[in-house]
Amino acid sequence: MRFRNFMCFMFFAAVAIGVLQAQTRSGKPMEIYVIDVEGGNATLLVSPSGESLLIDTGNAGMAAVRDAGRIMVAVKDAKLQQIDHLVTTHWHGDHFGGMEELARQIPIREFIDHGANVQPAPATDAFLKDIYPKLHSQAKHTVVKPGDKIAVSGVDVRIVTSAGDTIKTALPGAGKPNPDCANFKSGENNAEDPQSVGSHITFGKFRALHLGDLTMNKEFELMCPNNRLGTVDVLLGLHHGQPSSNSPVLIHAIQPRVAIMNNGIRKGGDPAVMKVIYTSPGFENLWQLHFSQLSGQEYTVPGIFIANTLDEELSAMPVAPMPPPQPGAAAAAPPAHNGTAYWIKVSAEQDGSFTVSNSRNGFSKKYESRK
């Protein structure tokens, strides 16, 4: 009798576990759209409840209308009526440039940033003085610091860097010594990139990280001597794939399974960055918003992982990476990409599994949860 009761208990327990697992799987996923803004940044997170978090708004100047329009295509695909939270990682034109135009097209309920611009520039300072206050005057304006949380229903969004500062206490499950710290070599950077607002995103067992354009010197402060972030499933942005960021002290410590690089045709995809990514423990795939002329054959990912190519296709893939263009007004413009802009989309489940999709070719790949 006892044996039969025990077997009945085990049967119903197994059924209950199966139901719970099915409910976890069948619940709405969290979705992340990594939007093509031609080497700028625009990343849209949508929680299962439909609440939205947009990180950055693309480029300024003549590109602002284009990039705001591309963001709105993703917004409509996600069936959003408003942007609940807008994080501007830092005050460079490729990260806040489409904000004013976007605000004309959809309500924005909260504007989030790191505070004052520390790299004086006439256009940026005019925007912050004359335009930004008007945009957030009828909404909520929040200046965040490390350790703060952004209230997104069903998702834990924690600020890990802001205004040149980093979290001092490790996230739950993190805090192990980082062996790459011993070999760290500092790099050069401008004044504003290190101010970037960095967000750590948790949805059930799924982890993602977006650090804006945080530079390697700040990566060292965040990750040494101990890894304060632990591991993540998806690393977003990667400072467009530029070598002033993406040091081993960060990449090799967080051990992303997938990275999604918001590069441009001649911005990012640098061989030095590719080496760091591909030698990271447990790394599986790099997805890119653009084909990069800076990668060459050796470092270019298969086309199925690239969302956008060139309007005029190359007759052959360059064998050697193209050197990055010199900065300044004399630099030649990159090849045009005026056609449809495709995004890369992450659909994450609470059990830690996720699917990444390329809207250009319909290719998608499922990643099971970490063991």
Side-chain angles (χ1 to χ4, degrees):
M1 185 68 175
R2 289 180 179 177
F3 178 76
R4 185 167 59 184
N5 289 342
F6 174 76
M7 292 302 293
C8 289
F9 170 79
M10 292 299 293
F11 171 78
F12 287 113
V15 170
I17 291 171
V19 169
L20 288 172
Q21 289 176 338
Q23 288 175 340
T24 299
R25 284 277 188 167
S26 62
K28 283 188 175 181
M30 179 184 71
E31 297 183 329
I32 302 173
Y33 294 79
V34 184
I35 302 164
D36 175 32
V37 287
E38 303 297 331
N41 183 72
T43 304
L44 176 65
L45 181 151
V46 183
S47 75
S49 66
E51 195 168 352
S52 57
L53 169 69
L54 176 64
I55 302 176
D56 293 335
T57 52
N59 288 280
M62 298 294 291
V65 172
R66 175 201 68 194
D67 289 354
R70 292 180 176 184
I71 294 169
M72 284 302 300
V73 173
V75 163
K76 291 175 182 176
D77 187 80
K79 298 180 173 56
L80 301 177
Q81 301 301 314
Q82 64 184 29
I83 299 297
D84 295 295
H85 314 276
L86 169 60
V87 173
T88 299
T89 58
H90 61 295
W91 300 117
H92 281 163
D94 56 334
H95 290 258
F96 76 85
M99 187 191 304
E100 182 180 15
E101 180 61 32
L102 182 68
R104 293 191 182 106
Q105 301 183 41
I106 189 169
I108 301 172
R109 299 306 183 194
E110 182 181 20
F111 294 78
I112 300 168
D113 57 68
H114 70 66
N117 175 40
V118 301
Q119 185 180 347
T124 301
D125 294 336
F127 172 86
L128 291 173
K129 178 178 180 293
D130 300 326
I131 298 173
Y132 193 49
K134 295 177 182 177
L135 295 181
H136 64 63
S137 63
Q138 301 300 314
K140 182 180 179 181
H141 178 217
T142 304
V143 176
V144 290
K145 61 184 183 301
D148 288 350
K149 289 188 177 183
I150 300 174
V152 179
S153 178
V155 182
D156 185 286
V157 181
R158 190 181 304 241
I159 303 303
V160 294
T161 64
S162 183
D165 198 8
T166 69
I167 56 170
K168 306 307 180 194
T169 302
L171 299 181
K176 293 181 179 179
N178 186 345
D180 283 294
C181 296
N183 300 316
F184 176 77
K185 296 180 180 179
S186 62
E188 296 181 357
N189 54 255
N190 56 50
E192 185 62 18
D193 281 344
Q195 305 295 307
S196 290
V197 175
S199 303
H200 183 276
I201 299 158
T202 302
F203 177 61
K205 295 181 180 179
F206 175 82
R207 305 285 185 271
L209 181 68
H210 194 304
L211 294 178
D213 285 0
L214 195 75
T215 53
M216 62 173 60
N217 294 341
K218 288 297 174 183
E219 293 171 354
F220 178 84
E221 291 182 27
L222 177 63
M223 303 300 291
C224 293
N226 296 328
N227 172 2
R228 297 176 202 159
L229 300 181
T231 60
V232 304
D233 298 292
V234 176
L235 176 60
L236 300 161
L238 294 91
H239 192 173
H240 320 291
Q242 298 192 96
S244 57
S245 303
N246 304 298
S247 62
V249 296
L250 174 72
I251 306 290
H252 290 191
I254 63 173
Q255 298 180 17
R257 299 176 61 191
V258 165
I260 304 176
M261 183 185 293
N262 59 0
N263 64 303
I265 296 171
R266 275 209 317 257
K267 183 178 183 181
D270 186 279
V273 174
M274 299 296 217
K275 290 178 183 177
V276 173
I277 293 170
Y278 277 111
T279 55
S280 180
F283 187 75
E284 296 183 47
N285 294 120
L286 172 64
W287 299 67
Q288 294 181 203
L289 277 189
H290 266 282
F291 161 76
S292 172
Q293 292 185 322
L294 307 189
S295 298
Q297 287 188 14
E298 188 167 356
Y299 300 104
T300 294
V301 302
I304 54 174
F305 295 100
I306 300 176
N308 298 282
T309 58
L310 304 176
D311 289 357
E312 296 182 6
E313 298 296 336
L314 299 174
S315 57
M317 175 71 71
V319 174
M322 175 185 288
Q326 293 299 310
H337 173 228
N338 300 313
T340 302
Y342 298 99
W343 59 63
I344 292 171
K345 182 178 177 182
V346 179
S347 295
E349 306 288 347
Q350 286 196 340
D351 66 359
S353 65
F354 59 100
T355 300
V356 185
S357 304
N358 183 345
S359 66
R360 175 179 64 84
N361 54 21
F363 173 73
S364 65
K365 183 173 178 179
K366 176 68 175 288
Y367 300 85
E368 297 297 339
S369 56
R370 287 184 189 263
K371 302 301 182 183

